Amino acid sequence: MTAWSLHPRLRDDTHHVVSLALADVLLMDDANYPWLILVPRVAGAVEWVGLDPADAHRLLDEITLASAVLRELVTPDKLNVAALGNVVAQLHVHVVARFEGDAAWPRPVWGAVPARAYDARGLGERLDRLRAAFARHAVAGVSSG
Amino acid sequence: MTAWSLHPRLRDDTHHVVSLALADVLLMDDANYPWLILVPRVAGAVEWVGLDPADAHRLLDEITLASAVLRELVTPDKLNVAALGNVVAQLHVHVVARFEGDAAWPRPVWGAVPARAYDARGLGERLDRLRAAFARHAVAGVSSG
């Protein structure tokens, strides 16, 4: 079994936020939406439902944590949670904060409008706030439930 | 709290397959893709991560069951699992069997091409096969993990 490593396409499109117990949390480099991607560090994983049950549940718990962080920071109208993987097979789950009137609303975000990269200041601020929020929520306990 | 009932839009777009312990399983009336929708019978639920942790895990287990059924019946190249809810807020999770070269591949299915309703014979056969497969898998145990 080859060791896990992040798919190059995901690495190119994102910035690393934090590593949780199971998954790395990445920020999609698209300022159109607050958009996180969780990638479990499980070599060869492709389907969420292909993980062993404990890891599958843990991934959901980490998605719940990421959702709580997004809700605290940006108060979205809706969360979109999706494991697609048609282009990049490596298992990764999108957690997107959606707003009525955002660039794609009410359509899904994939392919709706071109990505708009963060500028340096916007990126730095977003990463700082995300990391601080994950640290606060992790103290409160990610593994409950 | 109002009792749970299926959103009219979901009712119009789908056919009931089976009721699991938590969720109703619906077949999207779109023969372009084998496409199930799971709707937890929890009044007022909007976000997957808003369910209590036991129900959130149970929903994942039922998604895993639905995925196993789809894999047995149609052997997809990829599964797409998504909770979006931008149009219909009532919590529902899409579980779509995807094939390289299907009508939307590799794009997500939502809005890609017009839905193609099943004809009566195709619908009846699909529902029969789905119900039989859910019955077999349920005997093997939905609540494991």
Side-chain angles (χ1 to χ4, degrees), chain B residues 40-62:
Chain B
R41 296 182 302 280
V42 176
V46 171
E47 300 287 358
W48 188 353
V49 299
L51 295 176
D52 73 57
D55 277 351
H57 284 182
R58 184 183 296 271
L59 179 56
L60 180 60
D61 294 340
E62 294 186 351

Side-chain angles (χ1 to χ4, degrees), chain B residues 1-5 40-45:
Chain B
M1 175 74 84
T2 310
W4 180 86
S5 66
R41 296 182 302 280
V42 176

Side-chain angles (χ1 to χ4, degrees), chain A residues 16-34:
Chain A
H16 183 269
V17 179
V18 66
S19 294
L20 302 176
L22 178 67
D24 277 15
V25 180
L26 313 172
L27 174 68
M28 189 75 165
D29 192 17
D30 185 350
N32 285 308
Y33 330 89

Side-chain angles (χ1 to χ4, degrees), chain A:
Chain A
M1 174 76 82
T2 310
W4 180 87
S5 66
L6 186 62
H7 190 288
R9 173 72 179 270
L10 292 173
R11 194 178 57 220
D12 290 348
D13 290 349
T14 67
H15 302 276
H16 183 269
V17 179
V18 66
S19 294
L20 302 176
L22 178 67
D24 277 15
V25 180
L26 313 172
L27 174 68
M28 189 75 165
D29 192 17
D30 185 350
N32 285 308
Y33 330 89
W35 181 345
L36 301 178
I37 297 179
L38 275 70
V39 190
R41 296 182 301 279
V42 176
V46 170
E47 298 288 358
W48 188 353
V49 300
L51 294 176
D52 73 56
D55 276 352
H57 285 181
R58 184 183 295 271
L59 179 55
L60 180 60
D61 294 339
E62 294 187 352
I63 289 165
T64 302
L65 173 66
S67 301
V69 163
L70 286 175
R71 283 171 143 175
E72 178 190 317
L73 295 184
V74 302
T75 321
D77 294 315
K78 188 73 191 68
L79 292 166
N80 289 173
V81 174
L84 303 178
N86 305 335
V87 176
V88 173
Q90 180 176 68
L91 175 58
H92 62 286
V93 182
H94 303 269
V95 183
V96 191
R98 302 298 308 274
F99 296 88
E100 296 177 18
D102 69 26
W105 187 265
R107 291 167 295 156
V109 294
W110 304 278
V113 299
R116 184 163 60 82
Y118 285 94
D119 61 28
R121 169 187 268 188
L123 176 63
E125 287 178 356
R126 175 136 286 173
L127 289 172
D128 286 348
R129 294 185 67 206
L130 284 166
R131 288 171 184 147
F134 272 101
R136 282 194 301 276
H137 283 268
V139 170
V142 53
S143 61
S144 65

